[in-house]
Amino acid sequence: EITYGDWSSDVCSSDLDMNPRRILVATTLIAAAASLVMSVYLYFSGEEVFDRLNGIFVGVWVPSILSLGAFLVSATKEK
């Protein structure tokens, strides 16, 4: 029998431990991956030198995002 309102067996609420540190790591990795994808897209999408320079500029964000994420993760306390 399916009952509504019983969240004790819900996967999202009980099985996933989404603490702030894990959210920060996931957000950092997603932002870096999105920057890498955008960089490759910008680099190869246009014909002009300006388009390639935009791709390189956005590609420089990846190590910056990862460095900032590593700094913030190291500053948070482990439970």
Side-chain angles (χ1 to χ4, degrees), residues 4-60:
Y4 296 102
D6 180 21
W7 294 95
S8 62
S9 64
D10 187 23
V11 173
C12 293
S13 64
S14 64
D15 294 338
L16 297 176
D17 180 28
M18 293 304 290
N19 58 14
R21 185 181 176 105
R22 186 173 288 176
I23 292 170
L24 180 61
V25 169
T27 304
T28 301
L29 293 176
I30 289 169
S35 176
L36 179 65
V37 169
M38 182 60 81
S39 171
V40 171
Y41 172 76
L42 288 172
Y43 188 84
F44 290 111
S45 68
E47 299 291 326
E48 301 294 323
V49 173
F50 185 72
D51 297 325
R52 291 182 186 250
L53 289 175
N54 281 337
I56 292 169
F57 176 71
V58 174
V60 172

Side-chain angles (χ1 to χ4, degrees), residues 57-76:
F57 176 71
V58 174
V60 172
W61 296 354
V62 176
S64 300
I65 291 169
L66 291 174
S67 296
L68 177 64
F71 175 75
L72 293 175
V73 167
S74 69
T76 59

